[in-house]
């Protein structure tokens, strides 16, 4: 049966009808807000390519974390800018490290926030790669113990979830074993399972000062052309003990999010990354896009594709818009 019996426009006539039949209802409940913590006090250094986002010292970060909590956003993910970098990223696992101190401060303030930490070496190595270098290459197995120690130090500081983003093979198993050995068997792992080697991380590398000093990340992050391989990565991470998996970036990989959602029964996250944010901000600043409508549409698309959890720099704006709508 088709027209004139079928008239899909009947259900689009009024806002009330549209609301009633809406398939995807976004809320702040699945949002995670990424934050960058740097040394010092009273530091708030805006990231030029990410309007609204700043590198902040622990005291300032705490203020913003309070705001995030009050907006009803359930969690944050922390990235650190350490005081010093070296070849093996040794400051990444220090109990007095920058991320560890930020986690402790948020814990001490008793904020009702899920605190996620990014586990990776690129912010802590002087060469900017996500693992240690051997014979001019990023060495896989030699990196695993360092990552596991970093994750353990985050756990000790009070993180609720650790999220490895390095893309070394076997890192989820190494982190799981290390956490279990130290009585953190209850701590969940959110694996950046399908992380693509993407141009969209550009602004983040300014924010986190983590640009590789030679070469690129294509020998460990995924080729953007591959979707089947994402399913393999996700399967391996779940086998190794990942409790949740993530696809990153989000918008150019909605098909991957959908396939992961359809193939696995764990919570699926999507990272709406820095470059995706910067594009919207730049166009909006020029008056070329309506920021609110654009962001609501993009986040709806990511959720419609199957993401349960969305990491996004738009989280605070979204929470305000969703509250007033
Ligand atoms: C660390 C890491 C990166 C991002 C999250 N964790 C950068 C990279 O891999 O180069 C990117 C996040 C963003 O662009 O917003 N490995």
């Amino acid at each position: 049966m088709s027209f004139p019996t079928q008239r899909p426009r009947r259900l689009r006539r009024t806002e009330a009808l549209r609301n009633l039949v809406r398939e995807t209802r976004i809320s702040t409940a699945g949002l995670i807000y990424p934050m960058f913590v740097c040394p010092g006090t009273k530091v708030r250094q805006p990231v030029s390519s990410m309007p609204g986002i700043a590198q902040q010292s622990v005291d300032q970060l705490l203020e913003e974390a309070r705001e995030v909590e009050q907006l009803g956003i359930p969690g944050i993910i922390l990235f650190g800018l350490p005081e010093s970098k070296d070849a093996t990223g040794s400051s990444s696992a220090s109990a007095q490290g920058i991320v560890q101190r930020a986690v402790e401060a948020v814990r001490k303030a008793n904020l009702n926030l899920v605190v996620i930490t990014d586990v990776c070496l690129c912010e802590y190595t002087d060469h900017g790669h996500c693992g240690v270098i051997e014979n001019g290459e990023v060495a896989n197995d030699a990196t695993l113990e360092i990552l596991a120690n970093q994750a353990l130090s985050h756990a000790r500081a009070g993180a609720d979830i650790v999220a490895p983003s390095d893309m070394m093979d076997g890192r989820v198993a190494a982190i799981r074993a290390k956490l279990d050995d130290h009585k953190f068997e209850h701590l969940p792992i959110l694996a950046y399972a399908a992380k693509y080697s993407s141009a969209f991380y550009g602004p983040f590398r300014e924010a986190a000062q983590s640009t590789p000093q030679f070469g690129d990340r294509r020998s460990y992050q995924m080729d953007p052309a591959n979707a089947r391989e994402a399913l393999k990565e996700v399967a391996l991470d779940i086998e190794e003990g990942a409790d949740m998996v993530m696809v990153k970036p989000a918008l150019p990989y909605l098909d991957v999010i959908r396939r992961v959602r359809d193939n696995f029964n764990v919570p699926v996250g999507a990272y709406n990354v820095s470059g995706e944010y910067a594009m919207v901000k730049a166009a909006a600043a020029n008056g070329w896009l309506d920021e609110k409508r654009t962001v609501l549409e993009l986040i709806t698309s990511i959720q419609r594709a199957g993401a349960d959890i969305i990491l996004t720099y738009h989280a605070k704006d979204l929470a305000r818009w969703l509250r007033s709508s």
Side-chain angles (χ1 to χ4, degrees), residues 33-288:
Y33 184 59
M35 302 180 81
F36 300 94
V37 59
C38 66
T41 47
K42 300 222 179 313
V43 182
R44 192 172 193 287
Q45 178 67 35
V47 179
S48 63
S49 52
M50 301 173 73
I53 304 297
Q55 303 167 345
Q56 301 179 91
S57 50
V58 172
D59 54 313
Q60 299 292 300
L61 181 127
L62 199 54
E63 290 311 302
E64 197 182 12
R66 284 185 210 285
E67 189 191 350
V68 171
E69 182 203 39
Q70 273 157 22
L71 284 165
I73 296 166
I76 56 177
I77 181 164
L78 296 175
F79 298 94
L81 293 108
E83 238 140 306
S84 63
K85 304 191 185 207
D86 61 21
T88 59
S90 52
S91 60
S92 68
S94 159
Q96 284 84 46
I98 189 70
V99 163
Q100 291 82 351
R101 284 195 281 122
V103 172
E104 274 166 13
V106 175
R107 277 284 84 91
K108 215 179 273 170
N110 252 322
L111 299 183
N112 185 22
L113 286 175
V114 175
V115 179
I116 308 175
T117 55
D118 185 85
V119 175
C120 191
L121 297 188
C122 64
E123 295 131 60
Y124 303 90
T125 50
D126 49 16
H127 46 75
H129 277 289
C130 304
V132 297
I133 307 295
E134 283 175 3
N135 305 320
E137 289 193 22
V138 176
N140 194 85
D141 299 14
T143 302
L144 300 181
E145 178 71 8
I146 305 175
L147 291 168
N149 285 329
Q150 182 187 12
L152 177 61
S153 73
H154 292 170
R156 285 181 168 146
D160 294 302
I161 299 173
V162 292
S165 69
D166 52 282
M167 289 300 279
M168 297 303 117
D169 294 330
R171 91 280 207 204
V172 173
I175 291 170
R176 186 72 270 159
K178 178 71 77 175
L179 292 174
D180 291 1
D181 275 353
H182 291 83
K183 303 224 171 348
F184 286 104
E185 61 283 330
H186 56 278
L187 203 84
I189 297 175
L190 165 60
Y192 287 71
K195 178 174 177 180
Y196 288 89
S197 180
S198 173
F200 290 94
Y201 306 150
F204 174 93
R205 292 182 186 169
E206 178 201 340
Q209 291 169 6
S210 63
T211 309
Q213 299 305 302
F214 65 91
D216 53 46
R217 303 208 203 289
R218 280 183 284 187
S219 76
Y220 43 106
Q221 297 181 347
M222 285 180 60
D223 183 335
N226 296 356
R228 287 192 302 264
E229 190 189 1
L231 301 182
K232 175 178 175 177
E233 283 280 7
V234 167
L236 289 172
D237 281 2
I238 294 173
E239 254 175 63
E240 289 180 28
D243 301 280
M244 298 175 276
V245 295
M246 201 193 318
V247 175
K248 176 186 174 189
L251 297 170
Y253 301 93
L254 294 179
D255 58 323
V256 178
I257 296 173
R258 168 50 54 198
R259 284 162 90 159
V260 171
R261 172 69 295 154
D262 287 346
N263 281 280
F264 300 94
N265 293 315
V266 297
V268 175
Y271 200 142
N272 176 224
V273 302
S274 58
E276 301 173 54
Y277 177 80
M279 286 197 298
V280 172
K281 283 292 188 181
N286 277 290
W288 297 338

